[in-house]
Amino acid sequence: MNDTAKPLGELTLRTLAMPADANPAGDIFGGWVMAQMDLASGIRAAERARGRVVTAAVKEMAFQLPVKIGDTLSIYTHITRVGTTSITLLIEAWAQRSRYEKMEKVTEGTFIMVALAEDGKPKPVPALD
């Protein structure tokens, strides 16, 4: 990743990668990173849907660089499409390296969230005001 690359979207979640989240080599488990991305997509989609959302699909996810113990993981969200009941988001995960003053994109993925009514059935995403 070059020094001119910048995250796309809105900073939605920041967290610290801890030893309990890592394998014996000190690399953070990919599932932990994906869970943080899912949390961020849920936060952003729920704000847009003005209510409950669930993850319907995760597409096109590939890890480019590892996350290490002590890195600050920043998750950026960008809504790319709003359907009748679904919201598609591009999610980027960036690591602020604990020993260096640089951020690197570690992965990205497309998350599709569905808005739900109180009865658990899909409901229309409200129009923007």
Side-chain angles (χ1 to χ4, degrees), residues 69-122:
I69 294 169
D71 288 349
T72 299
L73 187 69
S74 297
I75 309 296
Y76 292 82
T77 60
H78 176 70
I79 295 173
T80 59
R81 181 180 178 281
V82 176
T84 303
T85 62
S86 67
I87 301 169
T88 303
L89 305 99
L90 173 65
I91 310 297
E92 293 186 354
W94 289 69
Q96 175 73 46
R97 304 301 183 181
S98 61
R99 297 180 188 105
Y100 310 104
E101 291 187 25
K102 70 177 186 176
M103 268 190 17
E104 296 179 307
K105 182 162 68 168
V106 296
T107 189
E108 68 181 25
T110 301
F111 285 62
I112 300 170
M113 310 300 283
V114 172
L116 296 182
E118 291 299 319
D119 62 4
K121 294 182 181 173

